Amino acid sequence: MSISNIHHSTCSVIPKHILRNVAEHGDDEARETVAETLVHTARIARERAATPATLIETPHAPGARRKQRVVYDAHGESSTLAAELVANEETRHIRDVEAKEAFDGAGAVYDFLAKVFNRNSIDNRGMTLTSTVHYGRHFANAMWNGREVVYGDGDGKLIMRLTADVAVIGHEFGHGVTQHDAALEYHGQSGALNEHLSDVIGIMIKQRWLAQTAAHAAWLIGEGLLGPTVQGKAIRSMRAPGTAYDDPILGRDPQPAHMRDYVYSADDDGGVHINSGILNFAFYLTATALGGYSWLTPGGIWLRAARTRLYPQAGFQDFANATVIAAGELHGVGSRVQSTVAAAMDAVGLPVPAALPKGRAATPMRAQKRRNRW
């Protein structure tokens, strides 16, 4: 994938392997849901491809340090362009559950970035956080399309409403953070790293929303999204990759927790939703070993590494090296924090050499690729 195509990839929370399993093992209604979801996904991708990059990247109010959220209701239509505005900062009462969850979740995203990292929205330039709910018929996914998050309603049986977990909302807007800071290609290891960073942002927002320490959090992405008959608790588990669900229709969670189990596949853009579990587990190990809140020490390290030391094709080892370097920069070379990060990376099969490489992952990106700052 060339850099010119990076802005045209769409990032969703429900992985393709789940949809494929539903199509193979579900009933006629479930298969119809999958078909509709794939149609809507392709349509969103086309809308994004047709949108000029300048429009995608232009913030609503450059330099403004104020929360700006808007929520649109597509009323089951398959276009975000004709959706009705139902919530903004002047709205006092939001009756629709999905619209309220999307609005409040976007607020949690903005507050987290502003108060924890002194960041002015996801692009650090005051970008309005835009959401569209009730998109399409039986659209069982939530997607970042380059300028907003689009939420379907699910089928009400296997996949419930996509706004139910604030970690999902944070995950999707997290793709916007990565888009503006690292421009990671959405394929293979760089794509899985992209998904990992969104999971990290999503889980930190959720834990802050619930005032949970790393030790007391469930570490689940998509908690509450699975229907009552599904044998599972979430879409992904950062604490125990590969254990989120094991269901006759959805299949078994395929996420590995170690590089020895890395899945090489042409599906899912090279396994971006599968292999992200390896780095997810490394973040969990780091956060629980250091204790306290995940968004403080570990979060600062992870997002500094992503902002300053990645390039579009960066892989897992690049990021492992970058996190150890960032830990040294923030907390001292040879510090307990740095050794904890290194130990977590080693535990998932990404040992960082004592003499850190001086290659691309240890060198800040060129200025034009680092427009924003935390």
Side-chain angles (χ1 to χ4, degrees):
M1 182 187 295
S2 66
I3 294 177
S4 63
N5 288 329
I6 292 172
H7 294 296
H8 293 167
S9 59
T10 50
C11 310
S12 60
V13 72
I14 306 295
K16 293 178 182 178
H17 56 262
I18 286 183
L19 296 176
R20 183 179 62 248
N21 287 333
V22 171
E24 291 178 358
H25 305 294
D27 57 19
D28 289 343
E29 186 176 355
R31 285 191 287 273
E32 181 183 356
T33 294
V34 170
E36 290 286 342
T37 298
L38 294 176
V39 167
H40 295 316
T41 299
R43 184 175 287 113
I44 292 171
R46 287 196 299 271
E47 284 185 5
R48 180 171 185 178
T51 304
T54 53
L55 177 58
I56 289 176
E57 297 185 356
T58 300
H60 178 75
R65 281 275 178 179
R66 65 180 185 273
K67 191 184 304 180
Q68 291 290 330
R69 296 166 289 174
V70 293
V71 179
Y72 294 90
D73 189 338
H75 298 294
E77 298 298 325
S78 55
S79 173
T80 61
L81 303 178
E84 175 193 5
L85 177 65
V86 293
N88 57 25
E89 295 304 325
E90 286 69 49
T91 304
R92 291 291 177 266
H93 301 289
I94 305 174
R95 295 182 179 180
D96 182 81
V97 173
E98 287 84 349
K100 180 170 176 51
E101 288 175 339
F103 187 78
D104 291 344
V109 171
Y110 184 91
D111 290 342
F112 172 81
L113 294 174
K115 295 177 181 179
V116 177
F117 292 107
N118 193 31
R119 186 181 179 94
N120 188 12
S121 192
I122 60 175
D123 67 340
N124 205 22
R125 293 182 292 160
M127 184 176 182
T128 296
L129 299 181
T130 303
S131 309
T132 294
V133 298
H134 303 304
Y135 178 89
R137 178 175 176 268
H138 296 315
F139 181 48
N141 223 328
M143 301 184 70
W144 168 254
N145 71 0
R147 63 183 184 273
E148 66 178 305
V149 181
V150 180
Y151 301 97
D153 294 330
D155 63 357
K157 294 182 179 179
L158 299 175
I159 305 295
M160 310 304 284
R161 67 182 192 277
L162 276 299
T163 53
D165 185 7
V166 72
V168 169
I169 297 172
H171 171 100
E172 292 305 327
F173 279 116
H175 281 301
V177 174
T178 301
Q179 172 181 309
H180 288 281
D181 277 7
L184 288 167
E185 291 188 356
Y186 200 69
H187 182 79
Q189 286 198 12
S190 59
L193 174 54
N194 191 320
E195 283 294 328
H196 160 66
L197 290 171
S198 278
D199 275 353
V200 165
I201 292 171
I203 206 67
M204 290 192 299
I205 289 171
K206 180 176 182 175
Q207 290 175 8
R208 186 173 184 270
W209 176 269
L210 298 174
Q212 293 175 333
T213 63
H216 292 95
W219 292 90
L220 296 174
I221 303 291
E223 190 175 15
L225 265 62
L226 301 182
T229 64
V230 175
Q231 298 175 26
K233 51 194 174 184
I235 302 300
R236 288 185 289 281
S237 170
M238 298 180 71
R239 177 168 59 189
T243 68
Y245 57 89
D246 188 355
D247 182 78
I249 297 178
L250 268 64
R252 184 175 181 179
D253 182 359
Q255 279 208 314
H258 194 280
M259 285 299 294
R260 63 173 168 262
D261 299 315
Y262 186 92
V263 177
Y264 294 91
S265 172
D267 192 26
D268 189 31
D269 296 295
V272 297
H273 289 95
I274 296 175
N275 294 307
S276 59
I278 296 170
L279 290 174
N280 280 357
F281 190 48
F283 183 78
Y284 163 79
L285 291 175
T286 300
T288 52
L290 292 175
Y293 296 115
S294 64
W295 60 87
L296 297 180
T297 301
I301 293 168
W302 251 246
L303 295 180
R304 179 183 178 89
R307 175 181 60 82
T308 64
R309 298 189 176 278
L310 293 185
Y311 58 101
Q313 302 83 21
F316 283 12
Q317 190 63 60
D318 294 322
F319 189 66
N321 296 347
T323 56
V324 173
I325 293 170
E329 292 170 342
L330 292 172
H331 302 281
V333 175
S335 64
R336 170 180 173 266
V337 171
Q338 188 182 49
S339 63
T340 298
V341 175
M345 290 299 175
D346 184 67
V348 301
L350 293 166
V352 177
L356 288 169
K358 297 180 181 179
R360 297 167 103 177
T363 304
M365 292 187 296
R366 289 174 296 177
Q368 63 266 33
K369 295 180 182 177
R370 298 177 57 201
R371 294 186 297 274
N372 305 311
R373 298 291 184 268
W374 288 104

